[in-house]
């Protein structure tokens, strides 16, 4: 470094005026020169990255002064790294990516379509004059009441569903319509609308015809089998006849009282779910599977589910409706024609025009102010019991007193609870009651809403306030069980043919036994010859 | 979810049908800042709600300067009065796994262990305590389990300093749309278990400041997370199938993320059958 001590040579030469070369190059601005040198050093391009420190510092300072973050000195290294990173990106980009159209814009288009007012306003007005009630439910009103309990989707989604339901009504011949709820799935969710089609507009399902033909087909093969037995002495044909399939309930009654439409998102087209068969309900009770969100996905399970995800979804919807759709007691009443002697009791109920809603406090305290208005599903999978084996014209209604259980021969008639049962009679599981009641707010009791939450089907809710009530479901679509799910065991192995003496194998005789037998035979022969000889000699 | 972003976040999470009533929301808006002041937390998170048969527990968590340190948990029955919960012990966790069924909604309810697990009951009697488990202890253990097993944060949201403490990353600007759809961009916000088992090649790709947690990709059983784009693709929602009710949301390209639990507080042990 420079000479510091006065006795060192060259001391004092850096002062202005003492430079040895001063008389040759007068440069009063040595400081400026130093600055230029320093700047030239900073501008040196790095051999590795092509950046230079001067530009880098300039960028950092620009960024800091633009963004003005707090505690800059602590994050200065991060900022430096970020600036370098940004540089690299720009340099290496010779190919430009196509601007990706994110799916958000497509979805926004779809939602926008919901908002476009469709033509045919005159039709709509005409239709409304004919029918007394508007078919479109007030989804936003129900959403408001449920929101008081903390249940429900956000307002935007509720409004989209409202508009989607309006589209559904416009397209399909619908008499009444209701937002049933939302079932979550792994990849997509289902939004479900419960609908009653106008009478006479229901199409004949091809499924029914198919069932008829299969039943006939079975009978034919059975007869053919018997004929074959008589003709040939072939291996014995199996006399096993599978139990006849239980016919599904006709559209408009029992489990198929309502028709359900689903869509994955509001704005997507609504798909009609097929009617449910008892076999599907019976199987759905034994399995527990997540929904994937695709209606045509197969349901892989044991026992094998007769159908795909659309059928499984429909079966779960039927079970949830039957188990959790409730209304204040007295809202619905039986019609004037009380047909108690028919199998299963009355099937329909109508609104009671003289219904007076009990106060909310009472609805919260006691469960007897609520009643089911959907028929429960029997073990058979139907709401109305049917004897699958069509025997003689015995009056089967009197068989339900039998206590014996004869497998396969006669089946007991099942009777479920009648239609307007109070929910206080629902059984709980262990020590958990079937329903939990709650008032929406304890702070303002005069405006609170009575809320029912189901414990058997977590996700099923109902509210009542004044004369208004509504049921809804938000969940994964499964029943709650306090024990873990155990899949059904495979059926026991078939019994073998009973072993009796005619088919038991006898053991082959061993060599010793054979020799002994042979010797004994020869001895017997020899004795017989001797006797003959003796007799011959006597003569 | 962050206490201050609760209203917006609840809108994003409402796809599963669960949420808070306006009364509770308003109560949270006032009581959570007070909690922050009284307990001197740096951050307060609204953790969620466990629904019991007779009432619900609302849970909040408070975080100190090191976000990965054990958090203080508080519970309330009405979102107004909060009580601090003691930290979870291993005993509590072991006992809570035995207790099955819904929460009752009453913090002083006692589960009789004699019916559930005779050994545990015997050991408790041996050490001089009664063979019961209080619902409060079960609550503590359940919250701890849920946080450990399914508490989720996006990659890059938190950084680990060389001294070991964890902070929010102020440069985190959100995952890109492509990254947001992959399970590997989300981490469990708990002590990592699988990081050491990665091969050296994989470890070389990791950035020690951001990749210090386990990712969701290798969770067992596979498929125990459902990842969906909602609201027209603007929000990524992850739902856990192991603890039904845990919902995580993130808006790609923004700093908004969070998770919340609305459910019954029971582990879904039937998950392998249901997939």
């Amino acid at each position: 470094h420079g000479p510091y001590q006065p006795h060192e040579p060259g001391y004092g030469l850096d002062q202005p005026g003492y430079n040895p070369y001063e008389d040759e190059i007068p440069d009063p601005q040595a400081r400026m020169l130093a600055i230029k040198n320093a700047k030239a050093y900073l501008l040196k391009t790095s051999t590795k990255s092509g950046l230079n420190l001067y530009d880098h510092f300039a960028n950092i300072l620009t960024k800091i002064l633009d963004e003005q973050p707090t505690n800059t000195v602590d994050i200065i290294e991060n900022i430096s790294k970020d600036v370098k990173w940004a540089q690299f990106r720009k340099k290496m980009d010779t190919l430009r990516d196509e601007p990706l159209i994110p799916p958000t814009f497509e979805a926004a288009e779809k939602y926008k379509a919901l908002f476009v007012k469709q033509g045919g306003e005159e039709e709509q007005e005409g239709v409304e004059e004919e029918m007394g009630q508007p078919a479109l439910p007030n989804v936003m009103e129900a959403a408001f009441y449920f929101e008081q309990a903390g249940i429900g989707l956000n307002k935007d989604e509720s409004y989209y569903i409202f508009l989607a339901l309006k589209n559904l009504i416009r397209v399909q011949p619908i008499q009444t319509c209701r937002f049933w709820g939302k079932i979550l799935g792994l990849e997509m969710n289902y939004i479900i609308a419960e609908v009653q089609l106008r009478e006479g507009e229901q199409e004949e399902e091809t499924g029914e015809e198919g069932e008829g033909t299969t039943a006939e087909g079975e009978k034919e093969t059975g007869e053919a089998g018997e004929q074959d037995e008589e003709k040939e002495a072939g291996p014995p044909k199996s006399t096993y006849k599978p139990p006849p399939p239980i016919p599904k309930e006709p559209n408009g009654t029992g489990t198929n009282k309502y028709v359900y439409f689903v869509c994955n998102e509001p704005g997507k087209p609504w798909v009609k779910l097929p009617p449910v068969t008892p076999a599907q309900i019976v199987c759905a009770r034994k399995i527990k599977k997540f929904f994937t969100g695709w209606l045509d996905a197969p349901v892989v399970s044991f026992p094998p589910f007769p159908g795909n995800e659309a059928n499984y979804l429909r079966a779960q919807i039927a079970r949830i409706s039957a188990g959790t759709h409730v209304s204040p007691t007295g809202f619905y009443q039986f019609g004037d024609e009380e047909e108690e002697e028919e199998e299963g009791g009355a099937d329909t109920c109508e609104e009671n025009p003289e219904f007076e809603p009990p106060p909310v406090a009472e609805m919260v305290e006691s469960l007897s102010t609520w009643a089911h208005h959907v028929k429960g599903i029997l073990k058979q999978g139907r709401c109305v019991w049917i004897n699958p084996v069509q025997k003689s014209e015995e009056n089967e209604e009197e068989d339900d007193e039998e206590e014996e259980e004869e497998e396969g021969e006669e089946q007991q008639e099942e009777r479920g609870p009648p239609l307007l049962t109070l929910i206080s009679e629902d059984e709980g599981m262990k020590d958990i009651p079937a329903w939990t009641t709650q008032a929406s707010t304890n702070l303002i009791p005069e405006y609170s809403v009575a809320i029912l939450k189901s414990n058997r089907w977590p996700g099923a809710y109902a509210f009542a306030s004044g004369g208004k009530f509504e049921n809804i479901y938000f969940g994964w679509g499964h029943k709650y069980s306090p024990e873990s799910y155990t899949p059904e065991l495979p059926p026991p192995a078939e019994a073998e043919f009973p072993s009796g003496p005619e088919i038991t194998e006898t053991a082959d005789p061993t060599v010793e036994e054979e020799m002994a037998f042979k010797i004994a035979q020869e001895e017997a022969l020899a004795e017989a010859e001797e006797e003959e000889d003796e007799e011959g000699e006597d003569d | 979810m962050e206490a201050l972003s609760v209203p917006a976040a609840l809108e994003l999470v409402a796809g599963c049908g669960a949420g808070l009533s306006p009364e509770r929301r308003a109560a949270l808006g006032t009581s959570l800042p007070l909690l922050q002041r009284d307990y001197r937390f740096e951050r307060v998170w609204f953790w969620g709600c466990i629904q019991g048969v007779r009432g619900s527990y609302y849970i909040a968590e408070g975080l100190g300067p090191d976000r990965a340190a054990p958090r203080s948990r508080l519970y309330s029955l009405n979102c107004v009065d909060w009580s601090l919960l003691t930290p979870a012990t291993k005993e509590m966790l072991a006992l809570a796994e035995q207790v099955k069924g819904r929460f009752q909604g009453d913090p002083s309810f006692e589960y009789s262990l004699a019916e559930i697990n005779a050994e545990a009951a015997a050991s408790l009697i041996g050490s001089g305590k009664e063979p019961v488990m209080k619902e409060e202890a079960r609550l503590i253990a359940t919250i701890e389990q849920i946080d450990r097993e399914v508490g989720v944060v996006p990659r890059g949201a938190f950084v680990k300093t060389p001294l070991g403490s964890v902070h929010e990353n102020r440069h985190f600007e959100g995952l890109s749309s492509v990254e947001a759809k992959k399970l590997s961009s989300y981490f469990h916000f708990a002590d990592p278990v699988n990081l050491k088992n990665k091969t050296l090649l994989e470890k070389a790709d990791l950035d020690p400041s951001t990749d210090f947690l386990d990712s969701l990709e290798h969770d067992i059983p596979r498929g125990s997370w459902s990842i969906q784009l909602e609201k027209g693709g603007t929000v990524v929602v992850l739902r856990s199938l192991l603890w039904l009710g845990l919902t995580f949301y993130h808006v790609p390209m923004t700093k908004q993320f969070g998770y919340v639990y609305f459910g019954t507080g029971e582990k879904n042990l039937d998950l392998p059958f249901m997939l």
Side-chain angles (χ1 to χ4, degrees), chain A residues 70-71 75 78-79 82 103-104 107 111 147-157 182 184-189 265 288-290 431-433 436 440-443 455 474 476 478 480 482 484-485 487, chain B residues 11-12 14-25 51 53-54 56 100-102 104 170-171 178 181 223 226-234 239-241 244-245 266 268-271 273-275:
Chain A
T70 51
N71 289 347
I75 51 174
N78 278 350
I79 296 177
D82 279 342
T104 40
Y111 286 145
E147 196 195 347
Q148 300 301 307
I151 300 156
L153 310 169
N154 61 7
K155 292 249 176 50
D156 289 351
E157 202 170 340
K182 180 173 179 183
L184 303 170
L186 296 181
E187 293 172 34
M188 289 196 283
N189 307 322
E265 266 186 17
K288 196 171 177 187
K289 282 272 181 191
F290 278 121
D431 43 355
I432 306 173
T436 305
S440 65
T441 160
N442 291 323
L443 298 174
N455 292 328
F474 291 112
W476 295 90
H478 299 115
Y480 175 74
S484 301
Y485 166 75
Chain B
E11 294 276 308
L12 296 172
C16 56
L20 292 177
S21 65
E23 185 192 326
R24 300 269 184 251
R25 248 184 255 197
Q51 286 146 3
V53 172
R54 286 193 285 269
S56 306
K100 296 215 200 303
R102 300 276 304 264
Q104 291 295 324
R170 281 199 275 172
H171 282 263
V178 172
K181 286 186 221 156
S226 141
I227 195 168
Q228 284 183 21
L229 287 173
E230 289 204 358
K231 278 194 112 179
T234 46
R239 293 204 182 95
S240 166
L241 304 175
L244 287 175
E266 289 169 288
N268 182 18
L269 293 167
D270 306 330
L271 180 60
F273 292 116
M274 294 166 78
L275 284 175

Side-chain angles (χ1 to χ4, degrees), chain A residues 211-332:
Chain A
E211 276 191 321
T213 47
T214 46
E216 290 172 14
E218 280 179 36
K219 285 186 201 157
E220 285 177 14
T221 46
E223 291 171 3
E226 290 171 14
Q227 287 173 9
D228 278 347
E229 260 187 280
E230 294 169 357
K231 287 181 189 170
E232 314 169 349
K237 290 260 186 287
S238 157
T239 48
Y240 168 72
K241 285 203 182 72
I246 302 172
K248 69 172 184 199
E249 294 181 286
N251 297 344
T253 66
T255 45
N256 286 322
K257 185 164 183 198
Y258 294 100
V259 176
Y260 292 92
F261 284 87
V262 296
C263 72
N264 286 123
E265 266 186 17
K268 293 207 176 148
W270 291 92
V271 177
K272 184 172 173 183
L273 286 181
V276 66
T277 64
Q280 287 168 357
I281 292 195
V282 166
C283 192
R285 282 182 172 141
K286 297 184 192 158
I287 65 175
K288 196 171 177 187
K289 282 272 181 191
F290 278 121
F291 294 98
T292 59
W294 301 96
L295 282 174
D296 46 2
V299 177
V300 179
S301 65
F302 182 77
F305 187 77
N308 57 13
E309 183 157 315
N311 303 97
Y312 183 43
L313 180 63
R314 179 66 179 82
Q316 293 292 92
I317 293 175
R319 288 174 70 199
I320 293 175
S321 299
T324 61
H325 275 32
V326 295
S327 54
T329 312
F331 189 87
Y332 286 112

Side-chain angles (χ1 to χ4, degrees), chain A residues 1-228:
Chain A
H1 299 237
Y4 297 126
Q5 302 286 338
H7 64 269
E8 288 171 19
Y11 174 76
L13 287 178
D14 55 1
Q15 306 287 330
Y18 287 91
N19 198 306
Y21 301 107
E22 210 176 44
D23 49 342
E24 288 171 24
I25 303 169
D27 194 358
Q29 297 163 341
R31 196 163 278 183
M32 289 300 298
L33 183 62
I35 291 175
K36 276 191 208 161
N37 285 342
K39 188 169 173 183
Y41 168 70
L42 290 177
L43 276 167
K44 253 199 256 179
T45 322
S46 148
T47 45
K48 271 197 234 173
S49 56
L51 302 172
N52 63 51
L53 196 53
Y54 187 82
D55 285 337
H56 186 62
F57 274 141
N59 289 336
I60 293 180
L61 284 173
T62 316
K63 183 165 174 156
I64 292 178
L65 289 171
D66 281 341
E67 294 179 8
Q68 307 254 351
T70 51
N71 289 347
T72 317
V73 65
D74 294 328
I75 51 174
I76 184 74
E77 290 85 3
N78 278 350
I79 296 177
S80 165
K81 222 175 15 165
D82 279 342
V83 170
K84 276 196 193 157
W85 199 40
Q87 291 263 344
F88 268 122
R89 258 211 217 138
K90 284 184 200 153
K91 281 207 168 177
M92 312 241 282
D93 239 29
T94 43
L95 295 169
R96 267 208 227 145
D97 290 323
E98 243 186 55
L100 290 169
I101 304 175
T104 40
F105 299 151
E106 292 172 12
E109 286 273 348
K110 247 186 255 156
Y111 286 145
K112 186 176 169 183
L114 280 176
F115 283 94
V116 170
K117 196 160 187 186
Q118 301 289 342
E121 283 182 49
E122 302 164 9
E123 271 183 39
Q124 268 190 349
E125 289 176 13
V127 152
E128 275 188 29
E129 285 171 9
E130 283 174 20
M131 303 185 303
Q133 276 180 351
L136 183 64
N138 195 343
V139 169
M140 298 311 291
E141 193 186 2
F144 165 75
Y145 282 112
F146 277 119
E147 196 195 347
Q148 300 301 307
I151 300 156
L153 310 169
N154 61 7
K155 292 249 176 50
D156 289 351
E157 202 170 340
S158 299
Y159 208 82
Y160 292 142
I161 293 176
F162 200 11
L163 291 172
L165 282 178
K166 182 165 178 171
N167 277 348
L168 177 65
I169 289 181
R170 197 173 42 85
V171 170
Q172 301 271 351
I174 286 177
Q175 190 174 1
T176 60
C177 171
R178 201 174 76 82
F179 174 47
W180 185 92
K182 180 173 179 183
I183 288 191
L184 303 170
L186 296 181
E187 293 172 34
M188 289 196 283
N189 307 322
Y190 291 114
I191 294 176
I192 299 157
E194 184 184 75
V195 145
Q196 256 183 331
L197 294 176
R198 264 184 244 144
E199 293 173 31
E201 305 264 4
Q202 296 180 23
E203 304 162 10
E204 279 288 322
E205 295 291 332
T206 48
E208 284 191 74
E209 297 172 13
E211 276 191 321
T213 47
T214 46
E216 290 172 14
E218 280 179 36
K219 285 186 201 157
E220 285 177 14
T221 46
E223 291 171 3
E226 290 171 14
Q227 287 173 9
D228 278 347

Side-chain angles (χ1 to χ4, degrees), chain B residues 151-192:
Chain B
V152 175
V153 292
R155 177 174 183 264
F158 288 90
V159 278
K160 191 165 187 172
T161 60
L163 302 169
S165 62
V166 172
H167 299 271
E168 279 112 1
N169 180 4
R170 281 199 275 172
H171 282 263
F172 176 63
E173 285 180 3
L175 302 171
S176 66
S177 310
V178 172
E179 280 178 19
K181 286 186 221 156
K182 296 191 216 160
L183 270 187
S184 54
S185 337
Y186 301 99
F187 289 156
H188 287 281
F189 197 47
D191 293 329

